[in-house]
Amino acid sequence: MPEDTNKTTVFKPAKMPFCLSRRQILQSGFALAAATSLKGWGSIGSGPSSSGSNAESAASAIANPQLVPSGPMTVSSLTVSATAAGSIGPAFAGLSYEKMAVQWSFFEAANLVGISLFQGLGPSVLRIGGSSVDEFVWTPNGAGRTYLEVAPSDVASLAAFVKAAGWQCLYGINLGGAATGATTPALAAAEVACAVEQFGSSLLGIEIGNEPDVWGDPGFYFAGNWSLADYLALWGQFRSAILATTPGVPITGPAASYNVSTWTIPYGKAVGPEGEISSLTQHYYRANSQSPTSTSAFLVTPDSALVAELSVLQAGAKSIGVPYRMAECNSYYDGGASGISNSYASSLWVIDFLFNCAQGGSVGVNLHGGGNSDGYTPIADWNGVVQDARPEYYGILFFTLAGPGILYATQLSAGSLNVTAYAVAGPTGNLNLVIVNKDPLQNLQLTVQLPQSANSATLMEMTQLSAGAASPSLTAIDGVTIQGASVILGGPLAAGAPYTLIANGTQLNCYVPALSAVLIQVVPTPAGPTLVSAYVAAKGGATTIVLGGTLQFTAYGNYSDGSVASLPDAYGNTVTLWNTSNHAIAKISTLGHATAMGLGPVYIEATIGILTASPCEVTVIAASP
């Protein structure tokens, strides 16, 4: 069944607004709660001679270690190789809205909250289309904000929003209306000319019509008299008129609902080799929102149908010589399933979905949404005002934190648990790992084998906990946090400090709580001498500080080649924790700047990863009378 047979009614404003309460920052949660260390855990990844007590001592010496989650634990392992398995390019994770959204006040430069939520995902692509694109008609003299009309002022407002967000737009125009004469090639060309003028370089391309592969069916355009050949002929007329007015504007297609092998690829082969399109566009939804099997639990299960479809698209696009984009996607079609598509399950599902698409060769994905229904939408809005960042937004945001780069192959061993793992080698050489644990009960005790030695590693968690709940839930519609923080409307995500992991050569250990996703950011050990030991020294060799005064301290490293250098050094080594032996006598900043608080001797201490530097002893003395 096509995705958007009911989409128009889904996205019309409801009679009464439904507003979710703004999420609260959780100060504690199941994944952040302290717990007793597991026996033997300290020795995993710490080398044959390590003991649990030594590892616990090392953990206590690092800043902000990850604590053990409560509940059942499964020992697991992840091996990351340097074998390329795809890539994530810029502007990968985008959004999609119905064309009818141009009549709302959401898309205008004054919507600073909406713009900030777009910016939170980084520069990307907004696709405007959906089933309503073939209902809204270009009205050059229209007043704007009028149902079933697109006026120049609507395009100008949309372009202003997109530019303010730093995004680009894949702009859809009416083709289906040609069945009744509501639109014509000339009207389409005039609308595109306006879009080119308003968007400028922010216009990624033009999409002509929406899901033409289902036209010809009862209740659709050209019912009983439609074929791919008919579509190509009509589409060609519109394309020719557009290019006659705005030569060189990029055009994409076919925006098919499914029918990859019988519609999308044949269409691409007919027009792609001649350079008539800049990319293929395809839609995908997991299942029918009305099906009783379209549950939260099913949503997060592996999607073999998606993997198979991506394989066909990747091979087809390669043979044609054009890229492809999954330009309209989400969980369950027809607006989503209430209490499921807007639940925490969508947070975890969308991470897997985005990575699957990247592994399958897609150059980007646009998650469909808009409005304030209880189905899917990453950002909920009512009458142009943002109401909330829904759980799905958190998942998209978490995916973007891994950044663009080359996907590395991973091998995960977690028994029969529903867990996935991905690795992204960034352009600066850093390695970002994402592990998604969809099991409702089992936490993972994970050992990670890296393709190269790690200099340092940190971890962030996306978790869920509703007020008054004892554990996370796939069906919860609130309580999602990233490193303890909620998305604050109109401001950046104020996530807590990431946990520091102990990296030992090419191995590190961590936990992945049940129903969570973790992001491990690894800074590899650079080529160069090895840091053997370190020591702390005061500026100018000072041994005293006057009470109330300050003194700068620096850590110095001793290296395997006999050299000495201050930290941070050119090889990525840096102080991960500054401390003092007596905080009543002296306190110290994260940059090694000490302040004398009381009289007496004190040691200034520094930790570099798992290495403890030799401290520097100074004495706080009274000021001269």
Side-chain angles (χ1 to χ4, degrees):
M1 184 175 180
E3 180 276 329
D4 52 6
T5 54
N6 246 350
K7 197 179 297 174
T8 299
T9 57
V10 169
F11 285 97
K12 286 181 180 178
K15 292 182 179 179
M16 292 295 292
F18 170 66
C19 304
L20 293 177
S21 60
R22 193 174 298 182
R23 311 198 198 289
Q24 303 297 318
I25 296 178
L26 301 180
Q27 299 300 323
S28 62
F30 83 103
L32 306 179
T36 303
S37 297
L38 298 175
K39 292 183 179 179
W41 170 232
S43 63
I44 297 177
S46 301
S49 62
S50 297
S51 66
S53 59
N54 288 339
E56 289 166 7
S57 297
S60 64
I62 65 174
N64 199 28
Q66 185 187 20
L67 302 180
V68 184
S70 60
M73 193 76 67
T74 294
V75 175
S76 55
S77 63
L78 171 64
T79 300
V80 181
S81 76
T83 303
S87 65
I88 300 174
F92 189 90
L95 300 176
S96 170
Y97 279 72
E98 289 286 324
K99 186 65 174 285
M100 70 166 59
V102 300
Q103 68 171 315
W104 305 338
S105 57
F106 181 88
F107 286 117
E108 58 182 27
N111 185 6
L112 300 181
V113 174
I115 289 170
S116 71
L117 289 173
F118 273 58
Q119 291 174 330
L121 303 179
S124 195
V125 175
L126 167 66
R127 179 259 186 173
I128 292 290
S131 61
S132 61
V133 76
D134 292 306
E135 300 172 352
F136 275 67
V137 177
W138 175 244
T139 310
N141 298 318
R145 308 286 192 218
T146 303
Y147 185 56
L148 297 181
E149 292 184 0
V150 180
S153 59
D154 298 326
V155 180
S157 292
L158 177 65
F161 179 98
V162 169
K163 290 178 180 179
W167 281 38
Q168 289 185 294
C169 184
L170 180 58
Y171 187 88
I173 60 170
N174 189 334
L175 179 67
T180 62
T183 189
T184 64
L187 283 174
E191 182 176 356
V192 172
C194 178
V196 169
E197 179 183 2
Q198 293 296 331
F199 282 98
S201 61
S202 297
L203 183 66
L204 180 66
I206 297 297
E207 193 174 73
I208 307 173
N210 180 74
E211 300 187 353
D213 53 321
V214 298
W215 296 358
D217 293 344
F220 288 87
Y221 305 107
F222 304 101
N225 185 26
W226 188 247
S227 66
L228 178 59
D230 294 324
Y231 166 65
L232 286 169
L234 182 63
W235 180 87
Q237 294 173 22
F238 276 65
R239 177 184 178 276
S240 295
I242 291 169
L243 293 180
T245 303
T246 52
V249 64
I251 296 179
T252 69
S257 64
Y258 50 102
N259 296 314
V260 173
S261 298
T262 59
W263 196 277
T264 304
I265 303 304
Y267 158 86
K269 289 181 177 179
V271 300
E274 302 300 322
E276 296 180 51
I277 56 172
S278 59
S279 68
L280 289 171
T281 54
Q282 180 66 35
H283 299 175
Y284 187 86
Y285 289 79
R286 183 70 194 270
N288 187 343
S289 64
Q290 304 304 311
S291 172
T293 60
S294 294
T295 62
S296 294
F298 175 73
L299 184 61
V300 298
T301 58
D303 191 350
S304 58
L306 171 65
V307 174
E309 181 167 308
L310 292 171
S311 178
V312 175
L313 279 166
Q314 184 175 27
K318 184 177 180 181
S319 69
I320 298 164
V322 296
Y324 81 92
R325 187 175 188 93
M326 303 298 280
E328 183 184 312
C329 312
N330 218 302
S331 53
Y332 298 128
Y333 62 74
D334 282 349
S338 176
I340 298 171
S341 295
N342 60 335
S343 72
Y344 180 50
S346 68
S347 303
L348 301 176
W349 163 79
V350 77
I351 297 174
D352 281 334
F353 180 78
L354 289 165
F355 274 112
N356 285 166
C357 289
Q359 291 173 329
S362 174
V363 297
V365 173
N366 296 86
L367 281 304
H368 203 54
N372 198 28
S373 73
D374 54 0
Y376 60 65
T377 183
I379 299 170
D381 65 274
W382 171 254
N383 283 342
V385 179
V386 174
Q387 301 297 310
D388 203 7
R390 292 275 179 88
E392 187 174 69
Y393 180 89
Y394 283 79
I396 302 170
L397 175 59
F398 201 78
F399 168 86
T400 66
L401 295 178
I406 303 299
L407 288 167
Y408 278 178
T410 61
Q411 184 175 354
L412 180 66
S413 176
S416 60
L417 300 184
N418 184 9
V419 184
T420 46
Y422 311 94
V424 183
T428 62
N430 288 9
L431 183 64
N432 295 327
L433 312 178
V434 174
I435 300 96
V436 188
N437 181 5
K438 280 85 63 177
D439 192 273
L441 299 175
Q442 290 291 323
N443 306 295
L444 297 187
Q445 174 184 309
L446 184 67
T447 299
V448 181
Q449 185 66 44
L450 302 168
Q452 65 185 106
S453 181
N455 181 64
S456 63
T458 59
L459 180 147
M460 296 179 69
E461 297 177 352
M462 183 181 77
T463 55
Q464 187 282 325
L465 194 65
S466 300
S471 60
S473 170
L474 281 177
T475 59
I477 60 174
D478 60 9
V480 186
T481 57
I482 294 178
Q483 203 60 7
S486 303
V487 173
I488 303 300
L489 299 184
L493 178 75
Y499 302 124
T500 302
L501 302 181
I502 298 176
N504 185 6
T506 60
Q507 197 172 85
L508 56 84
N509 305 317
C510 69
Y511 301 102
V512 185
L515 293 185
S516 78
V518 303
L519 169 66
I520 302 172
Q521 298 181 299
V522 181
V523 177
T525 300
T530 303
L531 181 65
V532 177
S533 62
Y535 65 95
V536 177
K539 183 177 181 180
T543 58
T544 60
I545 315 176
V546 175
L547 182 65
T550 61
L551 184 62
Q552 179 66 50
F553 289 83
T554 303
Y556 292 86
N558 298 307
Y559 300 87
S560 56
D561 63 353
S563 62
V564 178
S566 61
L567 301 175
D569 60 19
Y571 314 115
N573 300 297
T574 188
V575 175
T576 53
L577 177 67
W578 282 101
N579 202 4
T580 69
S581 60
N582 190 333
H583 291 190
I585 294 179
K587 64 180 182 179
I588 192 164
S589 73
T590 57
L591 298 178
H593 195 75
T595 302
M597 308 296 291
L599 299 176
V602 65
Y603 286 95
I604 306 299
E605 305 164 340
T607 302
I608 303 95
I610 61 173
L611 181 68
T612 300
S614 298
C616 178
E617 183 180 15
V618 292
T619 301
V620 177
I621 60 175
S624 300

